[in-house]
Amino acid sequence: MPIFVMTIRLRLTLWYTALLGATLILFSVLVYGLLAANLWTQMRQNAVRQADEIVDLLTQQLLRTQQLIVIRDSGFGFPELDLFTSGAGAQVINNDGAVYLRSENLGGMSVPDYRQALPNIRRGLDHIYYTENAEHVPFLVYSEPLVVNKYIWGAVQIVQPIDSVRNTLNQVSRYLILGTALSLVLAAIVGALLAHRALAPIGAITETAGSITRTRDLGRRLQISDQSSEVGLLAATFNDMLDRIQKLFETQDRLIADVSHELRTPLTTIQGNVELLERMVTSNAVTNGHSQQAQGLLQETLGEVQHETDRMSKMINDLLLLAQADSGAIQLQWAPVEMDTLLLEVYRQTKRIAELRKGVNALEIRLGHEDQALVWGDRERLRQIMLNLTDNAVKYTPEGGVVTLALSNEEHWVKIAVSDTGIGIHPDHQAQIFERFYRTDKARSRELGGSGLGLSIVQWIAQAHNGRITVESVPQQGSTFTLWLPELEGRP
Ligand code: ADP
């Protein structure tokens, strides 16, 4: 199941966009609110101003005529309505709600609900309400009482269409929403690009660090473009750390190589001398007639010394090989290698080793399925790892067991399998046996002359050939080590 990873880049972009979004929404709400308040106030003020004007005119007439009906019949003219409120109409009602006068632009339209202003008017108060006509055109109806000499005659009602204000506000809100959405999309893109640019050096650092780990090439360093930036400082610190690690590794490799070298010479001398002593003991025993017991003890001791020096010598050789491999000092002799022929040679060698180690017919060494296969590699190194595997199989398989060597081709890979019916490896140990000096049973390995370095060498050589080594094993039933090597295409 894919795991959703919240990268810093994504997080930065989201934060950036969210903050900008919040600011824009706040700004839009504020702009819209102020504009709406302003337009509505203006609209009301206009209505009030016009109502005032008409009330003034009517008051003068009423003072003279004392009757609304007379004013109507004398053809009262409403003052010209200004441009902004064009479309606004007016009507005059008496205190019972009867309509006395209507401006022409009201046409045939009766003002919906106009009587709702009456309670206010009768108390001498103005009144405002919003309504719609039959065509759903929205209106504001402002009613101002017509009071002359403390007598409330009725009211002047200004009927002001407000669709222009609504349209303006709708349009503004559409623009604001669209603008906010567009700005957010733009901000997200720009934010992602900026975050990408800012974090690109970190990606490069991760990439290089990963490739250093993969290739184990401690000589590589990160490119530093800007030493003063945070990322530049990180890269510089990382490079310093690599310097130190590289020095440490070099010192360690040199130490192992030097120590191995230094130990090899005295060890060879010891081995030579032990052999000489063994021969002397045998011949002296014959001539001097030492007691059989003393001779047996001496031979046993010398045998042990020889076993240990052999083991030490093997370990030193293996250590030296690994140290050289680590420092890149090993040059492989590349050539096409016929693996089937090599397998046959290893098979014969294994038979001899098994006889030497376990005695004649103690183990059965078998040749299983064998394809023809060609790989590009170093024949002697390949022989060495195959022998390491068969040597282990022989070592860890009790008498009466079977060791089988097989070779097969599988989708551009050559598979060399060494199977045994031996003690097997517990699943907990299987991943670690390729580590240096890792042994599942130290005492047993030591007794069998093991150094714990054999499989590390196998793995190194397999990887140097762009191959790999895998293991399948069941405790007390046996193990199969498989060496995978890339097939050399176009064999002759
Ligand atoms: P060693 O010199 O001890 O054999 P290796 O590196 O060759 O060292 O192997 C590491 C360990 O893996 C061994 O000590 C042993 O415990 C285990 N091992 C390797 N091959 C086999 C095998 N064929 N059967 C059982 N155990 C094995």
Side-chain angles (χ1 to χ4, degrees):
M1 201 176 80
I3 302 167
F4 179 70
V5 184
M6 192 77 157
T7 56
I8 296 185
R9 186 175 146 187
L10 184 64
R11 247 179 280 179
L12 275 180
T13 312
L14 284 182
W15 269 110
Y16 178 74
T17 317
L19 273 179
L20 192 80
T23 318
L24 280 177
I25 289 170
L26 204 75
F27 173 77
S28 303
V29 169
L30 213 72
V31 165
Y32 183 86
L34 281 175
L35 187 72
N38 211 296
L39 284 178
W40 288 124
T41 314
Q42 224 172 341
M43 190 120 282
R44 279 170 196 221
Q45 280 173 349
N46 263 320
V48 172
R49 194 165 35 81
Q50 282 166 5
D52 282 350
E53 239 174 88
I54 298 169
V55 165
D56 277 353
L57 280 174
L58 282 169
T59 309
Q60 285 163 24
Q61 304 256 353
L62 278 170
L63 280 175
R64 259 184 283 135
T65 60
Q66 299 286 322
Q67 277 189 12
L68 264 177
I69 195 150
V70 178
I71 299 174
R72 180 179 69 184
D73 294 345
S74 65
F76 173 79
F78 283 104
E80 283 270 315
L81 301 169
D82 69 24
L83 205 69
F84 179 74
T85 54
S86 63
Q91 67 179 8
V92 179
I93 54 171
N94 74 1
N95 48 21
D96 286 331
V99 180
Y100 270 74
L101 292 165
R102 289 166 60 84
S103 68
E104 264 176 33
N105 54 3
L106 280 182
M109 186 193 96
S110 69
V111 182
D113 263 352
Y114 70 91
R115 296 176 74 91
Q116 66 163 274
L118 285 175
N120 264 23
I121 292 166
R122 285 180 190 139
R123 276 183 280 141
L125 301 171
D126 58 3
H127 179 267
I128 194 160
Y129 73 96
Y130 296 89
T131 183
E132 276 184 359
N133 69 2
E135 285 90 48
H136 299 293
V137 180
F139 288 101
L140 166 161
V141 180
Y142 173 71
S143 310
E144 185 168 321
L146 191 55
V147 187
V148 181
N149 289 337
K150 294 191 182 161
Y151 178 72
I152 299 167
W153 286 87
V156 172
Q157 293 191 309
I158 301 292
V159 183
Q160 172 104 51
I162 53 171
D163 49 349
S164 64
V165 175
R166 284 219 176 147
N167 288 345
T168 309
L169 286 176
N170 281 345
Q171 210 162 5
V172 167
S173 73
R174 262 202 302 278
Y175 284 149
L176 284 174
I177 291 171
L178 201 76
T180 306
L182 272 179
S183 311
L184 282 184
V185 171
L186 210 73
I189 296 172
V190 172
L193 283 177
L194 283 178
H196 175 73
R197 274 196 62 166
L199 295 172
I202 293 188
I205 291 179
T206 314
E207 168 64 28
T208 317
S211 104
I212 289 172
T213 316
R214 272 194 308 280
T215 57
R216 300 180 184 196
D217 178 6
L218 286 172
R220 281 188 64 184
R221 291 293 175 271
L222 299 172
Q223 298 284 337
I224 304 171
S225 47
D226 180 7
Q227 179 98 50
S228 58
S229 72
E230 288 88 341
V231 180
L233 279 173
L234 173 69
T237 316
F238 190 79
N239 278 349
D240 286 347
M241 199 176 76
L242 279 177
D243 280 344
R244 273 187 63 87
I245 294 176
Q246 190 183 19
K247 266 199 201 99
L248 270 173
F249 267 92
E250 279 169 3
T251 318
Q252 184 191 315
D253 288 347
R254 214 173 318 119
L255 186 79
I256 295 174
D258 289 350
V259 169
S260 320
H261 251 304
E262 291 306 314
L263 286 179
R264 243 178 5 167
T265 326
L267 206 62
T268 320
T269 319
I270 293 172
Q271 275 175 315
N273 285 331
V274 169
E275 273 169 35
L276 188 70
L277 272 176
E278 257 184 337
R279 260 182 273 135
M280 277 169 63
V281 166
T282 324
S283 55
N284 274 357
V286 179
T287 47
N288 293 352
H290 274 307
S291 79
Q292 252 187 345
Q293 200 185 4
Q295 193 197 353
L297 197 68
L298 208 59
Q299 258 176 341
E300 197 182 313
T301 316
L302 280 175
E304 255 171 50
V305 173
Q306 193 168 33
H307 176 79
E308 284 304 311
T309 45
D310 283 351
R311 202 170 79 83
M312 218 160 144
S313 162
K314 183 176 177 317
M315 195 187 295
I316 284 167
N317 283 335
D318 286 353
L319 261 180
L320 193 62
L321 182 80
L322 279 173
Q324 286 169 337
D326 286 344
S327 63
I330 292 185
Q331 296 288 323
L332 296 181
Q333 307 298 316
W334 295 100
V337 182
E338 283 179 1
M339 290 306 285
D340 34 309
T341 321
L342 186 61
L343 189 83
L344 217 60
E345 288 173 22
V346 171
Y347 162 72
R348 290 196 199 107
Q349 260 173 296
T350 308
K351 263 177 122 63
R352 278 199 298 279
I353 292 170
E355 277 173 19
L356 276 175
R357 271 193 187 279
K358 303 251 158 121
V360 185
N361 294 333
L363 283 184
E364 188 188 341
I365 313 294
R366 275 191 208 156
L367 203 55
H369 177 86
E370 198 191 6
D371 283 337
Q372 284 194 323
L374 199 66
V375 301
W376 181 246
D378 184 324
R379 198 169 203 279
E380 280 321 300
R381 295 288 175 205
L382 291 173
R383 180 204 301 279
Q384 185 181 3
I385 57 176
M386 283 157 78
L387 275 174
N388 260 344
L389 293 178
T390 57
D391 188 43
N392 273 351
V394 169
K395 268 195 305 192
Y396 299 107
T397 306
E399 277 183 30
V402 183
V403 174
T404 313
L405 279 77
L407 190 160
S408 57
N409 287 317
E410 200 180 287
E411 288 179 7
H412 310 295
W413 288 96
V414 176
K415 275 169 61 181
I416 298 111
V418 178
S419 318
D420 63 55
T421 56
I423 59 169
I425 305 155
H426 193 276
D428 290 351
H429 296 296
Q430 284 175 17
Q432 283 124 300
I433 52 172
F434 297 98
E435 288 170 14
R436 293 175 192 190
F437 292 111
Y438 191 88
R439 286 162 287 180
T440 57
D441 182 343
K442 279 203 170 65
R444 190 201 293 250
S445 161
R446 200 174 295 129
E447 199 182 306
L448 294 169
S451 63
L453 292 169
L455 286 179
S456 309
I457 291 173
V458 167
Q459 192 175 45
W460 180 80
I461 297 176
Q463 284 170 354
H465 281 81
N466 296 319
R468 63 184 194 279
I469 174 97
T470 56
V471 61
E472 282 167 51
S473 183
V474 180
Q476 307 314 325
Q477 287 189 24
S479 321
T480 299
F481 282 84
T482 310
L483 171 67
W484 304 67
L485 296 170
E487 189 184 12
L488 183 60
E489 310 283 343
R491 50 175 294 136

